[in-house]
C-alpha cells in the first residue's frame, strides 16, 4: 500500500484554496447591498437613556432643491454613549452618480420628540464624497415651562401676542355693568374650561373722559394690564384740553415685573398705586366673569349658536324648540338634523351617528371621528359654509407639468402639512405655502381665522415634534405666499371675487379646497 505524504508547502496550498472557495461561496450568498458607516456624537454633557431614546440615521437624496428629500435607506438603534457607531445598508441600484446624497442623524425620545439633530449637511457616496462620516448633532432647543421660564418683557410680549392670535378659538362673553354714574361694557374671552384668558373693557367716564382697559391672563393670573385713556378734570386739572394717558404693566406669578406710563407723550415710571390698582381691578374682573358664567349656565339655548371645540372645530347649531330639533352645520359639510332626547337635566340631541349634549353654554359633540368638548361663542364671526360644487382635482394631478405653484409637490408634503395644521394655535386654518427644507424637514406657513400667521417646521413624514412660531412682521411675505391657499375639509375657504376654488382629493378622500387668488400681482 502506497503511503501519501504531505509537505508543509502542499498543506498550505490546500488551505489557501479552501479559504478562497469558502470566501467565494459566502460572497455568492451575500445580498446586493452597499453601506454607509460612521459615528454620531454630541458635545452636550448629558446622558441619554437607551430605553427612552432612539438614534435614527437616514440616507437622503437631496438633488432637487424644489422637491422634498427622498429617503433611500434608514436605520434605527437605541442610543449609547457617544460616539455612537452606525452601519447604514442601502441598495446601490437606487444611487445615481449625477445626484447628491447626504446622511442625516437624529435622536428621538419615546414621546416622538426630536431631541438632537445635525445642523449641517454630510455628503456621501457620489461626487468623491466618502462613505464613512463623523456626524455632530446638536440639541434641539425646547420651550421652558411657565415655572422655569425667565420672565422678562420679551417673554410677556410673546405670550400676549400668542393670546391675541388665538382669540378666535375662545368663547366670548359680552356684558356691561354700572360703575357709579358710568357704564362699562366688556368682552371676556374664556377657554372651554371657563378659564379667562383676555378681557377688554370700555369705560365711559362721563365728564372725566373715557378709558379702554385690557387684561391678559395666564393660568388665571394677571399677565399684563394695559390702559389707554383720555381724561379731563384729571388730578385737579381743569383745562379744556384732555390728558392722553397710557399705562402698561407686566406681571410674573402675580407680581409686578416691568411697566411703562406716558402722560401726553411724556414717559414716567408707574407708581405703586397704579400697580396695586391694576391687580385689584384684575381680581374684580375675574369675579365678574365667574358670576356671569354661573348665570349663563342656567339659561337654555335657543335659536342659532356658534360652538367652538377643543379639537379646533367650529360649527353652528340652530335650535328649534317647537320642532324639538337642532340643525348642525360644519364648514363645507351637509347640515345634520338631530332630534331632541329626554334628559334629566340639560339637553341632548342625536341620531345613530351624532350626538350633542350639554348644559348651559357647555356641550359635548360626538361623531364617528370621536368626542370633543365645545362651548358657545358669542363672537359674531360667521361660518363660510361651502356649497362644495367646485371642480375636482386630485393630489397626484398636481404633479403634472405646467403647475409652477407650491402645490406641485402637495402629495409629498401632505403629511407635514397635516401635522402643522393640527399644531396651529387658531381655528379655521388655511395653508399659505409649504416647502421642503434641509435634513428631511418641511416648512409650512399657515393663517388662522383671526389673521394670525405661523411658521411650522416638521419632519417630512409628519412624525416628531412640530416647531411653531408666530410670524410677527406683516412685511414677512414669502414668494408665492398668497397665490394658492389650501383649506382643510373642517375649515372654511376664503370668500370674495378674488378666489376660484377646487375640491381636493387624496386617494379618493376629500381633504379640502385649493383657492387660487386672482387678485395677486
Amino acid at each position: 500500500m502506497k503511503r501519501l505524504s504531505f509537505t508543509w508547502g502542499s498543506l498550505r496550498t490546500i488551505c489557501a484554496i479552501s479559504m478562497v472557495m469558502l470566501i467565494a461561496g459566502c460572497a455568492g450568498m451575500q445580498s446586493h447591498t452597499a453601506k454607509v458607516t460612521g459615528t454620531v456624537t454630541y458635545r452636550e454633557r448629558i446622558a441619554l437613556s437607551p430605553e427612552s431614546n432612539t438614534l435614527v440615521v437616514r440616507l437622503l437624496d437631496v438633488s432637487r432643491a424644489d422637491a422634498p428629500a427622498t429617503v433611500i435607506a434608514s436605520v434605527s438603534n437605541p442610543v449609547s454613549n457617544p460616539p455612537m457607531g452606525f452601519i447604514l445598508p442601502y441598495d446601490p441600484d437606487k444611487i445615481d452618480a449625477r445626484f447628491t446624497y447626504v446622511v442625516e442623524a437624529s435622536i428621538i425620545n419615546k414621546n416622538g420628540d426630536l431631541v438632537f439633530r445635525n445642523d449641517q449637511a454630510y455628503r456621501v457616496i457620489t461626487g468623491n464624497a466618502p462613505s464613512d462620516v463623523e456626524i455632530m448633532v446638536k440639541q434641539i432647543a425646547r420651550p421652558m415651562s411657565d415655572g422655569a421660564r425667565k420672565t422678562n418683557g420679551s417673554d410677556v410680549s410673546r405670550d400676549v401676542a400668542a393670546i391675541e392670535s388665538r382669540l378666535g378659538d375662545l368663547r366670548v362673553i359680552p356684558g356691561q355693568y354700572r360703575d357709579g354714574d358710568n357704564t362699562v361694557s366688556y368682552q371676556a374671552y374664556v377657554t372651554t374650561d371657563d378659564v379667562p384668558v383676555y378681557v377688554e373693557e370700555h369705560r365711559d367716564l362721563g365728564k372725566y373722559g373715557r378709558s379702554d382697559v385690557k387684561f391678559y391672563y395666564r393660568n388665571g393670573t394677571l399677565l399684563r394690564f394695559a390702559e389707554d385713556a383720555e381724561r379731563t378734570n384729571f388730578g385737579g386739572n381743569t383745562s379744556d384740553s384732555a390728558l392722553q394717558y397710557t399705562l402698561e404693566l407686566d406681571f410674573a406669578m402675580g407680581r409686578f415685573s416691568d411697566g411703562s406710563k406716558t402722560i401726553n407723550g411724556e414717559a414716567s415710571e408707574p407708581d405703586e398705586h397704579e400697580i396695586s390698582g391694576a391687580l385689584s381691578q384684575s381680581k374684580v374682573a375675574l369675579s365678574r366673569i365667574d358670576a356671569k358664567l354661573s348665570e349663563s349656565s342656567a339659561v337654555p339655548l335657543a335659536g342659532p349658536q356658534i360652538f367652538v371645540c377643543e379639537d379646533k372645530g367650529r360649527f353652528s347649531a340652530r335650535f328649534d324648540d317647537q320642532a324639538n330639533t337642532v340643525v348642525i352645520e360644519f364648514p363645507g359639510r351637509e347640515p345634520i338634523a338631530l332630534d331632541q332626547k329626554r334628559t334629566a337635566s340639560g339637553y341632548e340631541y342625536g341620531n345613530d351617528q351624532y350626538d350633542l349634549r350639554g348644559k348651559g353654554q357647555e356641550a359635548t359633540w360626538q361623531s364617528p371621528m370621536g368626542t370633543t368638548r365645545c362651548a358657545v361663542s358669542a363672537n359674531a364671526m360667521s361660518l363660510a359654509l361651502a356649497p362644495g360644487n367646485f371642480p375636482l382635482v386630485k393630489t397626484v394631478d398636481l404633479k403634472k407639468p405646467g403647475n409652477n405653484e407650491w402645490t406641485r409637490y402637495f402629495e409629498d408634503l401632505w403629511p407635514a402639512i397635516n401635522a402643522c395644521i393640527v399644531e396651529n394655535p387658531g381655528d379655521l386654518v388655511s395653508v399659505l405655502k409649504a416647502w421642503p427644507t434641509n435634513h428631511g424637514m418641511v416648512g409650512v406657513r399657515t393663517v388662522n381665522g383671526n389673521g394670525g400667521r405661523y411658521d411650522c417646521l416638521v419632519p417630512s413624514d409628519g412624525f416628531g415634534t412640530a416647531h411653531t412660531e408666530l410670524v410677527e412682521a406683516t412685511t414677512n411675505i414669502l414668494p408665492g405666499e398668497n397665490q394658492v391657499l389650501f383649506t382643510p375639509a373642517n375649515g372654511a375657504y376664503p370668500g370674495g371675487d378674488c378666489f376660484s376654488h377646487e375640491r381636493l382629493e387624496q386617494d379618493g378622500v376629500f381633504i379640502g379646497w385649493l383657492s387660487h387668488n386672482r387678485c395677486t400681482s
Side-chain angles (χ1 to χ4, degrees):
M1 183 175 178
K2 188 176 181 179
R3 297 178 61 185
L4 296 176
S5 62
F6 292 92
T7 65
W8 284 109
S10 61
L11 183 60
R12 285 195 297 268
T13 301
I14 293 172
C15 291
I17 293 173
S18 300
M19 289 298 294
V20 170
M21 294 177 64
L22 179 61
I23 293 172
C26 292
M29 292 186 291
Q30 288 180 349
S31 60
H32 183 56
T33 60
K35 62 184 178 182
V36 174
T37 59
T39 59
V40 177
T41 190
Y42 54 84
R43 293 193 177 96
E44 288 81 358
R45 294 185 176 182
I46 58 176
L48 298 177
S49 168
E51 288 78 19
S52 304
N53 297 274
T54 302
L55 171 65
V56 180
V57 182
R58 304 197 301 175
L59 175 61
L60 306 175
D61 178 356
V62 294
S63 305
R64 300 187 60 177
D66 60 345
T70 302
V71 179
I72 303 299
S74 66
V75 63
S76 301
N77 291 298
V79 299
S80 59
N81 292 329
M84 295 170 279
F86 69 88
I87 299 175
L88 178 58
Y90 66 91
D91 185 354
D93 291 338
K94 295 183 178 180
I95 302 300
D96 190 320
R98 300 168 300 172
F99 293 173
T100 302
Y101 301 88
V102 300
V103 172
E104 175 195 79
S106 58
I107 297 176
I108 300 173
N109 66 20
K110 63 181 180 180
N111 297 322
D113 297 324
L114 189 63
V115 183
F116 285 82
R117 186 181 65 221
N118 57 292
D119 62 355
Q120 70 179 73
Y122 292 87
R123 289 195 57 182
V124 291
I125 305 174
T126 60
N128 296 321
S131 291
D132 186 270
V133 290
E134 296 179 357
I135 301 176
M136 177 67 68
V137 294
K138 293 185 178 181
Q139 190 173 17
I140 301 298
R142 308 293 299 164
M144 293 184 290
S145 65
D146 287 344
R149 177 180 296 175
K150 178 183 177 182
T151 303
N152 53 40
S154 61
D155 285 331
V156 173
S157 297
R158 184 166 56 247
D159 289 342
V160 166
I163 289 173
E164 292 177 340
S165 69
R166 61 184 287 252
L167 292 182
D169 292 340
L170 305 176
R171 173 184 168 195
V172 185
I173 301 175
Q176 61 177 244
Y177 63 93
R178 297 287 297 178
D179 184 10
D181 295 332
N182 305 318
T183 300
V184 179
S185 59
Y186 66 86
Q187 281 193 316
Y189 292 74
V190 301
T191 67
T192 53
D193 292 326
D194 288 343
V195 177
V197 174
Y198 172 73
V199 179
E200 57 184 17
E201 295 187 352
H202 176 71
R203 301 171 178 176
D204 182 359
L205 305 179
K207 65 179 182 179
Y208 294 102
R210 57 89 190 162
S211 174
D212 295 318
V213 177
K214 299 177 180 179
F215 303 91
Y216 298 85
Y217 297 96
R218 182 172 60 201
N219 300 327
T221 303
L222 183 62
L223 179 69
R224 171 174 289 178
F225 173 92
E227 182 177 7
D228 182 9
E230 183 178 277
R231 297 186 177 181
T232 56
N233 300 314
F234 176 66
N237 175 52
T238 57
S239 64
D240 294 334
S241 61
L243 292 178
Q244 304 298 324
Y245 171 84
T246 65
L247 179 66
E248 185 174 280
L249 306 174
D250 291 345
F251 296 84
M253 306 299 290
R255 295 184 177 182
F256 173 70
S257 62
D258 194 12
S260 62
K261 178 176 70 174
T262 64
I263 299 178
N264 286 343
E266 294 186 7
S268 60
E269 293 294 324
D271 59 46
E272 60 181 16
H273 300 291
E274 290 166 320
I275 296 170
S276 61
L279 288 170
S280 298
Q281 293 177 60
S282 167
K283 293 177 181 178
V284 172
L286 289 178
S287 299
R288 186 175 295 112
I289 301 307
D290 287 341
K292 188 75 172 180
L293 289 169
S294 300
E295 174 187 315
S296 63
S297 64
V299 178
L301 296 180
Q305 305 286 344
I306 292 179
F307 284 83
V308 292
C309 305
E310 287 184 341
D311 66 355
K312 300 183 181 179
R314 177 185 289 265
F315 63 87
S316 67
R318 185 175 296 276
F319 294 86
D320 189 332
D321 292 337
Q322 295 183 350
N324 295 324
T325 61
V326 63
V327 177
I328 306 295
E329 291 184 283
F330 281 88
R333 304 183 191 177
E334 294 296 324
I336 304 169
L338 304 177
D339 294 326
Q340 189 173 20
K341 298 182 178 181
R342 288 184 175 273
T343 58
S345 63
Y347 56 86
E348 182 177 2
Y349 299 81
N351 58 21
D352 57 349
Q353 286 188 300
Y354 302 95
D355 187 86
L356 178 69
R357 68 179 68 189
K359 187 175 183 180
Q361 306 289 311
E362 310 297 324
T364 299
W365 170 251
Q366 183 176 342
S367 73
M369 301 298 293
T371 302
T372 183
R373 292 194 301 170
C374 308
V376 172
S377 173
N379 196 329
M381 180 186 294
S382 62
L383 294 175
L385 299 177
N389 57 349
F390 302 120
L392 178 65
V393 63
K394 300 180 180 180
T395 55
V396 66
D397 296 332
L398 297 175
K399 294 183 177 181
K400 292 181 179 179
N403 181 9
N404 298 319
E405 297 164 340
W406 68 265
T407 56
R408 180 175 182 179
Y409 300 103
F410 189 98
E411 190 171 36
D412 300 318
L413 300 171
W414 172 236
I417 290 174
N418 192 42
C420 287
I421 289 174
V422 173
E423 291 298 321
N424 190 285
D427 67 343
L428 300 180
V429 179
S430 292
V431 175
L432 297 171
K433 186 175 182 179
W435 64 97
T437 66
N438 294 330
H439 310 304
M441 305 293 285
V442 170
V444 181
R445 175 163 290 186
T446 60
V447 61
N448 61 31
N450 200 47
R453 293 186 302 149
Y454 289 82
D455 278 342
C456 174
L457 186 66
V458 67
S460 58
D461 57 8
F463 294 103
T465 301
H467 300 274
T468 303
E469 63 179 28
L470 179 69
V471 181
E472 297 184 359
T474 57
T475 56
N476 184 359
I477 305 296
L478 297 174
E481 174 178 320
N482 295 314
Q483 293 178 355
V484 184
L485 278 72
F486 168 72
T487 304
N490 64 346
Y493 60 83
D497 296 332
C498 285
F499 290 95
S500 62
H501 309 286
E502 296 173 318
R503 289 171 57 90
L504 185 61
E505 281 191 359
Q506 167 94 334
D507 298 327
V509 178
F510 169 62
I511 61 173
W513 297 268
L514 292 179
S515 302
H516 300 264
N517 191 345
R518 297 184 294 241
C519 298
T520 56
S521 55

